[in-house]
Every structure is written in structure tokens, then in C-alpha cells.
Amino acid sequence: MSVNIMTEHNGIDQSSTVDVFRSEVREWLAANAPRESLLPWTSREGFDQHRAWEQTLFEGGYAAVDWPIEYGGRGADLRLTMAFAEEYYRVRAPERVNMGGLYLLGPVLMQYGTEEQRARWIPDLLACNTIWCQGFSEPGSGSDLASLSTRAVRDGDHFVVNGQKTWTSMGGFADWIFALVRTDPEAAKHRKHSGITFLCIDLRTPGVEVRPLAMVDGTKGFAEVFFTDVRVPVENVVGGVDQGWKVAMSTLGFERGAVFGDHAKFSNDVAALAGLVRRRGLEQDTLALDELGRVLVETEVYRANVYRLAALAEAGGNLDQTASINKLFWTEMQHDIFATGLRLMAEEGGVVGGDREVLPGVDPVTAHAWKDWHHRYWYARAAMIFGGTSEIQRNIISERVLGLPMEPRPT
Amino acid sequence: MTETLDLDRRQLDEVTKVLLDRHCGLEYLRERMDAGEAHQPALWNRLAETGLVSALVADEAGGAGLTPRHLPGVLHATGYHGVPEPFLETAVLGVTILGAYAEDPWVADQLRALAEGSLLVAVRLAVLDPHVAFAAQSDLLLDVADDGTVTAYPTAEVAVTSLEAVDPLRPVARVALPGSGRVLGVDPALARRVRTLAVAGSACQLAGAARRLLDLTVEYVSVRHQFGRPIGSFQAVKHKIADVAVGVDMAEAAAMGALDAVDEPDAAARAAAAKAYAGDAAARANVEALQLHGGIGFTWEYHLHFWLKRVMALSVAYGTTAAHRRGLAADLLNRTGRREPGHE
Ligand SMILES: Cc1cc2nc3c(=O)[nH]c(=O)nc-3n(C[C@H](O)[C@H](O)[C@H](O)COP(=O)(O)OP(=O)(O)OC[C@H]3O[C@@H](n4cnc5c(N)ncnc54)[C@H](O)[C@@H]3O)c2cc1C
């Protein structure tokens, strides 16, 4: 397939102002966004609903407005990208699935992929025909990612992969995995970051076994992935054989860095908290006002930071040094929002939704919202662990951003 | 347009840094602290000669005709260097108020004197702050009432009671206004703008002072050794500092962004959020900075306390963290209450 065939959507008229683009998006969302909230993506049925929505977004030209036009995006600059997200979350459109593809692999391919790889994977990724998952963590290698031991041995024009990945988000629903594998164990004896390769693997390849795992909330949101003599073509390597660590770091940079526009999502959550305060009749309660005010302040600060980073990026600045600070801040803010919500629910915070009969006096919408709130609360807890734990972010901030003396490393 | 703004800002920041590095260093602050007097004409005159005091004064009145959007970095620097002068009060708030009435010849004279560096202005914003910073040091006191009435008083005619301030280098006072001031006008929009500038401007200063605490701490733990290694290599130490760094960085984003947004419709809310957050972040910096300095940080002799006290002073100036939070929460409840309820 040639790259040009991918050009399905027109770029945005560069003279188009934010307001014009906003009203275009607003109109489209009004006509197309699902009126009722979808089932959670952690069930098969819910996942299919989300995938169908992603396909609608793609057809409308809104799957990734900020991507270059030749890759199926709209070439939107950051102002327009943020306007899109603000509108998206304003109507509370569904959570995006295929995050691994959209926010991680896509940008990585643009940085390190070959033209051929981009043409091969990006269109399907964008149309949500393929769901991608991230195969970094292993049972023995979490925070110490570079100690990973999944092996890939060259055999002609293939690699033969053996090993195991774990905590793989959406693993049970995914079609492809981008994985870190060890291709040169000798190199690792000198420097453990050497000899690692970033490899894309079709999960339907013989020898791959995916076992969905139930998460703390009972849903099967992640999985273990086992590889037994899995043959993967060499052309699936991204960024060069043994050169995977820098590709992995770039992936984690995208995972930790600002997602331009997601501040609007948190503002919705704080508005929902305001609704909760009102329903509980706490409008005059100074403690409730203080709690609500604190999380509101945090979301405002986060918005200010997103705009600052956008300005920095537009001026050609480097955001590498900002990613860990951003991740630590937003994950703690997100936790604060959801934990505050549970506190404001008071005794009801111990009840995970339910219908009218079990929760008399509570309307179904509220009951649904409660369930959703709990779901998102657990997600907030997870976010402090995935993408590098909060402690790892603190290590990075102190040693690499502030330049504090390194910890003595085991010799 | 934005490019020139950026360029101007960079130049202003550079000029300010050079001046304060040279003339408002540790020895200078020590000397002011020992003298028990914050303001000193020599430093103020330098700020005036460099054009910083008159930056916001209109060209025709002898200033540079800049806007508050030019000043986030300058205000940050006044916090970072612990400047013991009413820069925010005189050069930002005072000029904004007087500038609005500059056609009044008396006001024009005051403004000219201010631009030359010979008139210090203190501003009373009773809705935000029960105290008035630098009142006893000022020549002119401007009262901006809640309803927008702006009144000028020669400070000599005002009963000023100096209070024992947590930060001796940011003196505060209680003032009792005489019945007869010079009413400059009634302008609620101007009053709102002045309040927003006070809140956002002090947030910038606070972020700057907190940044200084962070830098001092990073520096200290990198050189101080215990157990045969720099204490900064201990993870317990690092992690506290990392948390301080996140707070300081985000406080800067919010505070400097709020001042930049002073002309936007939601300027007041942004300023309040920035001030509340900066107060929190600075409180964390305050606690950890002293903790990680150990005994030396607890001495009068060591300079850490200049900034410990500055952040304490600024975090209650122009509205406490709690007041801003609750005000924002109440506004949100009002706003979302009208179009009932937002549970999708
Ligand atoms: C919901 C969820 C989804 C996930 N999705 C994915 C995914 O899609 N793909 C993927 O590859 N991984 C995924 N992960 C895995 C995640 O990246 C790891 O869990 C994480 O990196 C931590 O590794 P670990 O679980 O082995 O914990 P460990 O590394 O064993 O850490 C345990 C504790 O020790 C602390 N610790 C470890 N090392 C240090 C240190 N040097 N200094 C201070 N403290 C330290 C940690 O901070 C943590 O508190 C997911 C995890 C969760 C919870």
C-alpha cells in the first residue's frame, strides 16, 4: 500500500481559527457521539462498542487530529488539538481505547519507524482495526525494566521469541503487541540497557498465548502474554536491532508526558464532584468547600501546565525534562479527585453502585455514576504504578532533572 | 506580537537578574535584616534607574508603556532574590491604579514621582488582605474598596500601626484611614483588575521564593556529606526534594500563566487557583528545605530563613490558600448549580 492512499482526510485550513474548528468539532460530535454511555471496555461487548466508536471517529477524521495528514491525521497544531479535546470531553464522549496504538506506538513509529512500517501499521491502528498493547513489564522486571529477560534469537530473517510479559493492558482484546526483547545477552553483562530490541509481534502468531488477568476491581483489563518459539520477521524491529532502549525511553516519554487537552477530562470530574457536594447538601460546609476547592485548583494548575508545555513545544523546545514531573503531578491529582469523591460520598463511598432497590432514593443515573466513579478510582490507583511508578518518577526528577548525586549502584 | 512579548520578557528577566544578583545578594539581605529595615532608597533607586519601577507607566508619563504580561519573570525574580521592596505594590498595583486616573494633574504628578523612584505606594485591598504591605514605608496609600471606590491618602495622614511581621523583609501594617481621602473614582472593573494583579503577582513572587528554597536545598544536599556520601544521594532525601520540585514547577506554570492571562475573562479564577496552589507548594518547600538542612538551617546566621519567612508571608498575602480554594469552590457550585446537574 502506498502512503498516499492513507490520505483520506483533508488537513485543516491553516487559516482556520480555533473558534471555527471548535464549532466544526462541536457540530460533528453533536451528530455522532453516543447519547448513552457505553458499557465499560473491560467486557467484550463494551470493548466492541468502544471500537465501533473509534471507527466512527476515524471516518469523521477525528481519530488523531494532530497527526500529519499523510498518516491519516489532520495536521492540527497544538491549539487546535487542545480545542478538539476540550470539545470531546465537554460532551463526555467515550474513553479512548487503543491508547497503546494512538498515544504510544504511533508517535514512536513517526520517530523511529521506517516508511514501510508506518504505511503497514498506522492506517489500521488509526481506524482501530488493530488494537495494540505494550509488552514491557515481565514478572521479574518491573521498575527495573532493563533487567528484562524475554529472549529473541536471530534465525535467518526471523527472530525466535521465548519468554513472558505481564500486566499487559488490554492484552485480552489486542491484536498486536510492541515488546521489548533481549537480543544480545552478552552486551547486558557490561551495560544492562544494551542488547534490547523493540519488536512488534502479531498476537495470532503460533506460540503466543494470552491469558487475561482479573484486576483489583474484578474486570479483565490486563493480561499475561507467553511466548514459546514465536517466529517474528526481522522487519518488525523498530529503531534497529539492539537499539531498543532508546525507543523504549521515547515510548515512556510519550506515556508520561502531557496528552494535550486531557485537562478537560479532569475538569469534568471536578464538575461531577460539585454535583455530589450539592446532592449531599454540603454547599455551605467549609470542609467540603475546601476539598472541592483543592481539586479544582489542581485541575486549573494542570491546565496551565498543559498550555505552558504546548507553548514550549510550539517554540521548538524539548519536553523530555518535563515528562516525569507531569506524570507525578497528574497521577496524584487524579488520585486526589477520585479519593475526594469517595470521601464526599461518605458512608455511600463503601457501596459500588447498584440499582434502585438496593439504593433507595438514589436515581439510576447516580447509581451508574457511582459505579463509574469507583472504576475510575481504581484506574487512578493504577496510574501511580504503570508507566513507571511514582517512586521511579521521583528518582528521575531528583537525579536527572535536578542533578542530585546518584545513588550508589550495586557493583 | 507574541514573539515581541517573549523577546521583551527575556530582556526584562535578564536585566532584573543581573541587577538583583549584584545588588540584592545574601549580604545585602543580611544587612537589611540586621538593620531591621526592609526598604532602602539605594536599591529602590537602582530598580527605578533600570526602568523596572516605571515599566508599566505610559510612555508619555515617562515609563516604558509595558503591560503586566511582561512581568511574570520579573516578579518571580523579586521572590527568588527576596527583594525587600514594594515592587508589586508600587510598580504594578500602584501604577495600574494611578495610570487609570492619569488625566488628573495631581495623579499625574504622583505617577511622575513614582516613575522616578521617589514615591513608594502601598495598596489596601481589604477584601483580600486585612494588612497592608509596606504601609509604614510608603509615601502614598491607595485604598481599593470592594465596590470599586479608589481613594488616595498621603501616608503621613494615615494612622499606620506596624505589626511584627513573620518576614521582617516584607513589613506589614494595620491602617486606620482618615475620613477625608482623595477619591479618584469608582471603577469596579479597575478594582477587579487590581485584585487579580495582586493575587497573580504575589503568586509569581511566591513561586520564585519557593524555587529559591528548592535551589538552596539541592545545592546543600549535594555538598553536605554524612555516612561517607552526599546526603542528596539518599533516596529518602531525593524523594522529598522531587515532591518539592513538582510543586515549584507547577506553581510557576500556574502563577506565570495567570499573570499572562490577566486580560482573559477568567483571569480572576486563574489567579486565585495559582495563588492557592503556590501557597501549598511553597509550604511544602518550606517544610522540606529546613528539614533537609538540619541544624544549620535553624540558625539565624544561615540565610535559609530569609526564604522560609518570605514564603510564609506571601502565602497569606492577598488571600490565603483556604480562602481562594473556598471562593473557587463556591463559584463552581454557583455555576454548575444553574444548569443542573452534570452527571452526564
Ligand atoms: C493497571 C496496570 C496496567 C499496566 N499496564 C502495563 C502495560 O500495558 N504494559 C506493561 O509493560 N506494563 C504494564 N503495567 C506494569 C507496570 O509498568 C509495572 O507494574 C510497574 O512498572 C512497576 O513494576 P512492578 O509491578 O514489577 O513493581 P516493582 O518494580 O516490584 O515495584 C514495587 C514497589 O517498589 C518500588 N520500587 C521499585 N524500585 C524502586 C526504586 N529503585 N526506588 C524506589 N522504589 C522502588 C516501586 O515504586 C513500587 O512501589 C501495568 C500495571 C498496572 C497496575
Side-chain angles (χ1 to χ4, degrees):
Chain A
M1 192 194 331
S2 112
V3 173
N4 287 332
I5 298 174
M6 290 158 56
T7 312
E8 265 204 36
H9 307 290
N10 296 323
I12 297 155
D13 177 0
Q14 284 309 313
S15 66
S16 161
T17 63
V18 173
D19 290 341
V20 172
F21 181 61
R22 239 181 229 288
S23 41
E24 174 204 314
V25 172
R26 206 174 276 202
E27 225 168 275
W28 186 86
L29 284 168
N32 292 282
R35 285 183 207 296
E36 313 228 316
S37 46
L38 308 181
L39 292 171
W41 61 260
T42 44
S43 71
R44 183 79 251 174
E45 201 187 345
F47 196 89
D48 289 341
Q49 289 179 352
H50 279 83
R51 185 186 280 223
W53 162 244
E54 287 290 328
Q55 285 162 345
T56 308
L57 269 177
F58 172 70
E59 279 151 22
Y62 295 109
V65 292
D66 55 325
W67 286 17
I69 295 162
E70 65 263 39
Y71 299 125
R74 302 279 299 278
D77 64 19
L78 287 174
R79 287 170 318 137
L80 298 175
T81 304
M82 289 196 278
F84 172 78
E86 285 167 359
E87 292 305 316
Y88 188 89
Y89 291 115
R90 203 178 55 79
V91 299
R92 294 171 161 74
E95 207 179 319
R96 304 293 303 268
V97 290
N98 210 8
M99 268 108 67
L102 279 175
Y103 299 134
L104 305 182
L105 184 69
V108 162
L109 287 178
M110 291 188 211
Q111 195 175 353
Y112 289 107
T114 61
E115 246 343 292
E116 195 276 330
Q117 290 173 329
R118 292 177 197 148
R120 183 165 152 221
W121 288 320
I122 287 183
D124 280 336
L125 178 170
L126 209 57
C128 212
N129 294 328
T130 44
I131 300 285
W132 284 83
C133 61
Q134 177 187 24
F136 285 13
S137 305
E138 299 179 1
S141 304
S143 298
D144 187 8
L145 182 59
S147 70
L148 61 92
S149 58
T150 294
R151 264 300 258 140
V153 179
R154 184 79 180 248
D155 177 24
D157 53 4
H158 280 72
F159 279 107
V160 180
V161 180
N162 281 284
Q164 183 197 342
K165 295 293 171 182
T166 192
W167 324 131
T168 316
S169 290
M170 296 193 181
F173 305 99
D175 308 292
W176 279 72
I177 189 168
F178 52 90
L180 295 179
V181 295
R182 191 161 291 288
T183 34
D184 184 355
E186 277 309 304
K189 288 185 185 145
H190 311 293
R191 199 171 166 271
K192 67 181 176 183
H193 305 86
S194 311
I196 291 172
T197 297
F198 187 103
L199 188 63
C200 294
I201 305 172
D202 185 339
L203 289 171
R204 286 160 307 190
T205 319
V208 177
E209 190 195 346
V210 178
R211 290 190 205 145
L213 279 174
M215 303 195 299
V216 71
D217 64 354
T219 61
K220 296 200 169 170
F222 54 23
E224 299 173 287
V225 185
F226 296 86
F227 302 91
T228 314
D229 296 331
V230 177
R231 294 184 67 80
V232 183
V234 170
E235 64 258 25
N236 289 11
V237 169
V238 176
V241 175
D242 294 339
Q243 304 300 310
W245 187 251
K246 67 173 194 294
V247 188
M249 288 305 101
S250 143
T251 317
L252 290 176
F254 293 124
E255 191 165 3
R256 295 166 184 168
V259 173
F260 291 106
D262 68 346
H263 58 278
K265 182 171 62 181
F266 299 119
S267 300
N268 281 346
D269 298 328
V270 173
L273 273 186
L276 187 59
V277 167
R278 200 175 306 104
R279 273 197 299 284
R280 294 195 73 92
L282 295 172
E283 294 104 314
Q284 310 294 333
D285 181 292
T286 38
L287 185 60
L289 286 179
D290 206 57
E291 294 237 58
L292 179 61
R294 186 188 62 249
V295 294
L296 175 58
V297 163
E298 286 164 356
T299 54
E300 284 293 315
V301 169
Y302 185 64
R303 175 174 73 146
N305 187 50
V306 167
Y307 274 86
R308 171 179 67 165
L309 296 182
L312 186 61
E314 292 210 305
N318 185 339
L319 301 191
D320 289 354
Q321 292 277 32
T322 67
S324 289
I325 290 179
N326 186 69
K327 198 217 170 207
L328 193 51
F329 183 84
W330 81 256
T331 54
E332 291 195 332
M333 165 186 72
Q334 179 175 250
H335 177 258
D336 198 14
I337 293 171
F338 288 94
T340 298
L342 294 188
R343 273 199 300 283
L344 289 173
M345 289 176 191
E347 300 79 10
E348 307 293 4
V351 180
V352 186
D355 54 26
R356 217 184 254 289
E357 287 81 74
V358 265
L359 292 176
V362 173
D363 62 276
V365 181
T366 310
H368 172 81
W370 273 356
K371 205 173 185 96
D372 189 47
W373 196 269
H374 274 275
H375 168 72
R376 309 237 347 252
Y377 168 77
W378 287 115
Y379 177 82
R381 298 289 298 273
M384 301 196 287
I385 297 172
F386 64 60
T389 67
S390 298
E391 289 70 30
I392 295 303
Q393 304 315 314
R394 291 187 178 98
N395 289 348
I396 295 171
I397 292 164
S398 52
E399 291 188 354
R400 285 188 237 146
V401 181
L402 301 174
L404 285 176
M406 300 292 253
E407 243 186 297
R409 300 282 193 252
T411 41
Chain B
M1 167 66 185
T2 35
E3 264 162 40
T4 24
L5 177 62
D6 276 348
L7 195 66
D8 289 348
R9 275 181 186 158
R10 274 201 295 277
Q11 282 170 354
L12 280 162
D13 293 356
E14 186 54 32
V15 167
T16 309
K17 185 179 169 331
V18 169
L19 186 149
L20 295 179
D21 274 346
R22 188 168 316 152
H23 300 291
C24 189
L26 295 179
E27 274 117 86
Y28 180 76
L29 294 178
R30 164 73 52 202
E31 174 203 309
R32 299 321 308 150
M33 192 68 103
D34 289 345
E37 240 177 335
H39 167 67
Q40 213 211 15
L43 178 59
W44 189 256
N45 285 338
R46 286 189 201 283
L47 288 164
E49 279 158 21
T50 325
L52 287 169
V53 170
S54 58
L56 304 192
V57 176
D59 311 273
E60 57 275 19
L66 301 180
T67 73
R69 294 185 61 203
H70 285 90
L71 298 183
V74 174
L75 284 161
H76 183 278
T78 62
Y80 190 88
H81 288 85
V83 175
E85 299 288 343
F87 184 79
L88 171 62
E89 289 71 15
T90 299
V92 180
L93 309 182
V95 172
T96 302
I97 297 164
L98 295 174
Y101 300 104
E103 65 292 0
D104 174 338
W106 181 83
V107 173
D109 283 345
Q110 305 299 308
L111 207 47
R112 207 166 303 117
L114 184 158
E116 283 168 6
S118 53
L119 182 100
L120 287 197
V121 176
V123 179
R124 180 173 180 266
L125 291 165
V127 241
L128 281 177
D129 195 329
H131 305 136
V132 181
F134 293 94
Q137 291 70 26
S138 70
D139 306 294
L140 183 68
L141 196 138
L142 297 172
D143 179 62
V144 180
D146 201 9
D147 69 355
T149 308
V150 180
T151 317
Y153 302 87
T155 309
E157 293 167 19
V158 179
V160 175
T161 314
S162 289
L163 303 169
E164 200 173 327
V166 59
D167 178 4
L169 300 186
R170 186 182 183 277
V172 292
R174 199 176 313 115
V175 301
L177 301 174
S180 59
R182 187 184 183 100
V183 177
L184 302 184
V186 181
D187 186 345
L190 174 67
R192 263 198 307 279
R193 185 172 173 86
V194 172
R195 284 197 296 270
T196 298
L197 287 172
V199 174
S202 58
C204 290
Q205 295 185 307
L206 192 46
R211 168 67 69 184
R212 185 60 174 270
L213 286 172
L214 172 64
D215 285 359
L216 289 171
T217 308
V218 165
E219 223 173 276
Y220 184 74
V221 303
S222 302
V223 296
R224 167 77 176 165
H225 281 62
Q226 286 292 282
F227 301 97
R229 51 193 260 212
I231 55 172
S233 67
F234 292 108
Q235 198 180 50
V237 170
K238 282 191 178 140
H239 282 197
K240 283 177 189 288
I241 295 180
D243 285 334
V244 171
V246 172
V248 169
D249 194 53
M250 301 300 284
E252 286 172 346
M256 296 167 87
L259 195 58
D260 191 43
V262 64
D263 300 320
E264 304 290 322
D266 61 350
R270 292 197 204 199
K275 180 69 175 38
Y277 185 80
D280 257 2
R284 188 157 49 227
N286 176 0
V287 169
E288 304 302 4
L290 175 52
Q291 184 64 25
L292 297 176
H293 274 78
I296 190 86
F298 206 71
T299 62
W300 181 264
E301 232 167 309
Y302 199 70
H303 48 264
L304 188 69
H305 67 107
F306 300 168
W307 285 276
L308 300 178
K309 291 168 181 172
R310 180 58 53 88
V311 300
M312 288 168 75
L314 287 172
S315 61
V316 295
Y318 306 118
T320 63
T321 296
H324 284 302
R325 269 186 194 160
R326 290 181 194 148
L328 287 165
D331 287 348
L332 176 67
L333 285 167
N334 281 335
R335 222 167 44 228
T336 51
R338 269 183 268 116
R339 48 166 174 76
E340 193 34 36
H343 49 228
E344 72 204 73

